[in-house]
Amino acid sequence: MDSAHRSAPLSLSRWLFVVAAMVVAIVVVGGITRLTESGVSITEWNVVSGTLPPLTEAAWAAEFDKYRQTPQYILVNGPAGMTLATYKFIFFWEWVHRLLARTIGMVFALPLAWFWAKGRIPEGYKPRLLALLALGALQGAVGWWMVKSGIVHDVKVSHFRLATHLLVALTTLAGLVWTALDLRALSRGEPRARLTGFAALALAMLGLQLLWGALTAGLRAGVTAGAGWFNWDAWPLMQGSFVPAGIDWAKGALHAMLSDPFLVPFIHRWWAWAVVAVLVVLARRVRKTDRAASIAIHSTFGTQVLLGIATVWSAVAIPLAVLHQLTGALLLVATTWGAHALGRQAARKA
């Protein structure tokens, strides 16, 4: 492959890595939005006019009036004495979240159109890039679907919808990273990576861990184990027992596994160790061919475990919880990187 043909895949790869970094950023902002209970502060989805925040006191008063019709205000923040100044704080985080989402859409769609028009997209990559664009559009729709559940039905958004919103974002992130790595390999004249069975297992197990993490967050269940620094009754135990008391099995095992505020975090904390075991094997398998990927996997899962424990002990302190969510996204990036490295090994042998 000559230099002209190498430059196009490399440019595409760098662009996708930028978009991936922005997705990691919006996952972090989404975590802050959830932890500050800001998600339903904007009660309408105005794609264009919603780009700007209220610019006058009358506009702020109108937005606040809309928010005061939500269950969250009527049942929680109103009785707590929320003021307009407090409302502006939660509005800010939801507005930043939505603005960053719009920015990511433009940073993906406009360069994609340019690369397409210039004929710089390598053969076979157009469907994949369109699929990533569709995932981005789906994410916006899922985000609004999630917010509506907190505007109409409850004081908080549905934990199922929140989990869907996060997992669509993380699926998009993994797709961006994998495609960027494929394009970078193409620029070196190497074949696309294959998704091996073991790599698929590692990604699936991590996906389940991220699902139960999202459900834990949506249920506000991070504090059900107890709290207190180095309090062993909160971790590794839950309320002083290995299996916490209070699990409600009345609606069946599946309902409890997905909705019980005691069982969901119990699964999240112990499934993590199965994921760690698989990631150790993945990191060892790619160590010789991609040492950096191996180090990234070890570093991120080790940090993530420590942050998870610290988050529980701190009674879900916002800075620690945000770092936990950030590291979860980075762990997915590292695992995708390792899976791709394993897939490159398989492609070379094929």
Side-chain angles (χ1 to χ4, degrees):
M1 182 183 294
D2 58 38
S3 59
H5 286 88
R6 289 177 188 272
S7 65
L10 191 57
S11 297
L12 285 159
S13 176
R14 289 169 177 166
W15 158 61
L16 291 178
F17 278 129
V18 169
V19 178
M22 295 180 71
V23 172
V24 171
I26 201 170
V27 167
V28 172
V29 173
I32 297 172
T33 301
R34 174 183 56 79
L35 289 160
T36 56
E37 303 289 354
S38 303
V40 299
S41 59
I42 303 177
T43 60
E44 297 175 341
W45 190 22
N46 298 314
V47 177
V48 178
S49 60
T51 303
L52 294 175
L55 300 176
T56 65
E57 286 304 310
W60 274 114
E63 287 294 331
F64 192 25
D65 283 341
K66 295 173 188 175
Y67 175 70
R68 286 191 287 193
Q69 308 307 311
T70 66
Q72 186 181 80
Y73 180 85
I74 293 169
L75 298 175
V76 179
N77 288 333
M82 172 178 269
T83 64
L84 179 58
T86 308
Y87 171 69
K88 287 181 179 180
F89 172 78
I90 65 170
F91 183 99
F92 169 79
W93 283 112
E94 176 64 8
W95 175 75
V96 169
H97 188 57
R98 296 190 188 192
L99 182 64
L100 185 53
R102 292 180 175 95
T103 305
I104 292 172
M106 289 190 296
V107 171
F108 189 89
L110 296 180
L112 174 60
W114 186 87
F115 283 122
W116 196 301
K118 293 293 184 178
R120 301 190 67 185
I121 300 176
E123 184 178 354
Y125 281 87
K126 287 181 180 178
R128 201 190 304 189
L129 292 171
L130 287 175
L132 289 169
L133 180 64
L135 275 174
L138 175 64
Q139 178 69 345
V142 168
W144 177 241
W145 175 64
M146 176 191 71
V147 168
K148 283 183 68 177
S149 68
I151 293 174
V152 178
H153 303 300
D154 201 349
V155 297
K156 62 182 186 301
V157 299
S158 160
H159 65 290
F160 291 121
R161 297 189 187 189
L162 183 146
T164 303
H165 188 50
L166 179 60
L167 291 182
V168 172
L170 294 176
T171 301
T172 306
L173 175 61
L176 287 165
V177 171
W178 187 281
T179 304
L181 290 169
D182 262 355
L183 286 163
R184 192 171 68 176
L186 179 62
S187 71
R188 298 193 296 259
E190 299 175 3
R192 297 179 188 177
R194 296 167 50 189
L195 181 62
T196 67
F198 183 78
L201 173 67
L203 287 167
M205 290 181 67
L206 177 58
L208 286 174
Q209 177 65 3
L210 294 169
L211 167 63
W212 264 287
L215 293 174
T216 299
L219 289 167
R220 313 299 193 264
V223 297
T224 57
W229 286 105
F230 307 106
N231 178 6
W232 309 117
D233 285 346
W235 192 96
L237 303 178
M238 294 183 69
Q239 298 181 339
S241 302
F242 178 71
V243 179
I247 298 175
D248 183 3
W249 301 99
K251 295 182 180 180
L254 182 60
H255 181 271
M257 290 173 67
L258 297 175
S259 298
D260 186 87
F262 297 97
L263 185 57
V264 168
F266 176 81
I267 294 171
H268 182 57
R269 65 166 58 186
W270 295 114
W271 181 251
W273 298 104
V275 177
V276 165
V278 171
L279 292 182
V280 167
V281 176
L282 175 63
R284 289 183 64 84
R285 288 191 179 186
V286 303
R287 184 173 55 183
K288 290 183 179 179
T289 56
D290 198 331
R291 182 173 175 79
S294 179
I295 292 172
I297 294 169
H298 280 296
S299 300
T300 48
F301 79 62
T303 303
Q304 181 70 338
V305 167
L306 293 175
L307 282 170
I309 296 168
T311 300
V312 170
W313 279 341
S314 71
V316 192
I318 289 179
L320 287 171
V322 171
L323 285 173
H324 188 53
Q325 184 150 323
L326 166 61
T327 310
L330 295 178
L331 177 57
L332 177 62
V333 170
T335 303
T336 303
W337 182 7
H340 193 273
L342 199 62
R344 291 200 305 273
Q345 293 177 20
R348 292 189 194 105
K349 294 176 182 178

